[in-house]
Structures are given as C-alpha cells and as structure tokens.
C-alpha cells in the first residue's frame, strides 16, 4: 500500500504537432496558436509538451522551417519522446487577420494556421516559456493518450522530473520575444 507522500499526481500534457514541439525546443517558436474550443484544459501550471505525429502537413510550414516537419514526420518506434515542459506567460485573443503580424514567432504560415483551425471566431495565442528536460523520456503511447484532444494526463507511472529543466531561451532573449509579441498585437 502506498502512503500519501509517495502517491504521484498525473502530469498534465498538451498535445501539439511534433514539428512545432521541436521548434519550441529550438527556440525558433515562442507562441502557440490554438482554437479556443480545442483547449478545455487548465493552463495555470507547468505542463509537458507531448508531440503528436498525426495530421502534420508539410505545406503549413514557412519557407526555411520545413526541416521541422521532416525531422518529426514519423513517430519513433521506441515511444513518444518527452523532452520539454512549458508554462503560459501571456494569453491573447486574436482574429485570424492578426496572424501575419505574429508570423516571425511561429513556424507555420498564417494560411497554414487558418487551414488548421478554420477560424470563425478569435484564436488564442499562448506565449510559452519552454524548458528542456535534463532527462528526456521515451514513454509508451497509451490508448488514453490517443485521439483529437489537446489536453491529456500522463499516467501515474510516467517518471518525468519537472523540476530538472533548463529554459531554451535565456531571460533576456525571452523578454525580447515577449515584448515583440505584445508589440505585434497592439
């Protein structure tokens, strides 16, 4: 029998296209654009970035960023690589017309994002502070993780040390990106 002290809490994870997760890890992308109806989960705390390998479209990537698609076009046979955690530092509701102003902050084209979300209403732009795990993990893709859901909870036995991370962007660079995102939306 386990004691309350040894019980683990499921880890929240946000599913995102694997190419985008790689871009976030490289610091090439600092925001996620999401359709509000896809994100019923909570974003108040730190969460794992869970790479999804389905529905990736190479035509959605901006010129110069296609390699993110090619590096992540197939799920590794050994499992799903968990390499990053993130927390939301700012949220913005934007119209699809605002996507051009933000294009330097993500790897998809504005039209690629419109195609992905087919927005009639505002979209959410989430400014993320991404950190790389010091000990990345390959985890089993369980049935409970599959499906078209943005938020999942990793099973209790998944061992990920959320405290042992290093930000992918230094504080000064992140502050510059944050200001640039804010300025693009004013």
């Amino acid at each position: 029998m386990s004691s309350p002290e040894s019980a683990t809490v499921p880890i929240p994870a946000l599913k995102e296209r694997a190419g985008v997760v790689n871009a976030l890890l490289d610091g090439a992308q600092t925001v996620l654009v999401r359709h509000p109806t896809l994100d019923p989960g909570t974003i108040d705390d730190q969460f794992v970035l869970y790479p999804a390998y389905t529905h990736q479209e190479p035509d959605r990537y901006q010129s110069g960023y296609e390699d993110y698609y090619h590096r992540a076009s197939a799920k590794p046979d050994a499992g799903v690589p968990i390499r990053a955690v993130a927390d939301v530092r700012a949220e913005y509701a934007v119209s699809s017309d605002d996507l051009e102003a933000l294009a330097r902050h993500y790897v998809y084209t504005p039209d690629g994002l419109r195609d992905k979300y087919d927005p009639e209403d505002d979209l959410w732009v989430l400014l993320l502070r991404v950190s790389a795990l010091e000990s990345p993990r390959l985890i089993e893709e369980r049935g409970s993780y599959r499906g078209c859901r943005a938020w999942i909870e990793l099973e209790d036995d998944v061992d990920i040390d959320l405290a042992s991370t290093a930000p992918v962007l230094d504080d000064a660079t992140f502050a510059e990106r944050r200001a640039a995102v804010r300025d693009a939306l004013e």
Side-chain angles (χ1 to χ4, degrees):
M1 181 184 326
S2 66
S3 68
E5 294 84 26
S6 67
T8 58
V9 177
I11 299 170
L14 179 64
K15 290 171 62 174
E16 182 55 69
R17 303 298 181 261
V20 171
V21 171
N22 287 341
L24 289 164
L25 267 163
D26 287 351
Q29 180 164 325
T30 51
V31 299
L32 281 182
V33 178
R34 309 292 290 193
H35 194 281
T37 60
L38 296 179
D39 289 325
T42 179
I43 51 176
D44 294 334
D45 296 317
Q46 190 177 47
F47 52 88
V48 167
L49 291 172
Y50 184 98
Y53 293 87
T54 58
H55 307 299
Q56 296 200 98
E57 302 288 336
D59 295 342
R60 290 187 178 151
Y61 287 83
Q62 294 182 47
S63 177
Y65 292 115
E66 301 92 344
D67 189 51
Y68 286 109
Y69 167 78
H70 295 295
R71 285 180 22 207
S73 60
K75 183 176 74 66
D77 291 334
V80 177
I82 302 297
R83 302 180 303 139
V85 298
D87 62 278
V88 177
R89 296 296 175 96
E91 299 176 50
Y92 305 92
V94 302
S95 76
S96 67
D97 296 335
D98 295 324
L99 294 176
E100 274 81 13
L102 290 170
R104 67 174 237 182
H105 300 285
Y106 52 80
V107 295
Y108 281 171
T109 66
D111 285 339
L113 284 167
R114 286 185 195 98
D115 179 55
K116 179 179 178 184
Y117 293 119
D118 190 25
E120 293 180 16
D121 298 320
D122 286 344
L123 296 170
W124 282 105
V125 173
L126 306 175
L127 175 70
L128 299 184
R129 186 71 196 254
V130 177
S131 296
L133 291 167
E134 290 178 11
S135 298
R137 297 284 187 254
L138 279 175
I139 65 169
E140 173 189 355
E141 182 182 31
R142 298 178 182 181
S144 62
Y145 302 162
R146 294 187 183 116
C148 293
R149 296 173 297 137
W151 291 98
I152 59 174
E153 287 190 350
L154 301 182
E155 300 289 334
D156 292 346
D157 62 342
V158 174
D159 181 27
I160 297 174
D161 185 359
L162 297 177
S164 296
T165 63
V168 298
L169 298 174
D170 62 47
D171 290 343
T173 302
F174 182 76
E176 289 171 7
R177 300 267 183 96
R178 181 181 204 149
V181 168
R182 184 186 61 242
D183 293 346
L185 295 173
E186 290 181 351

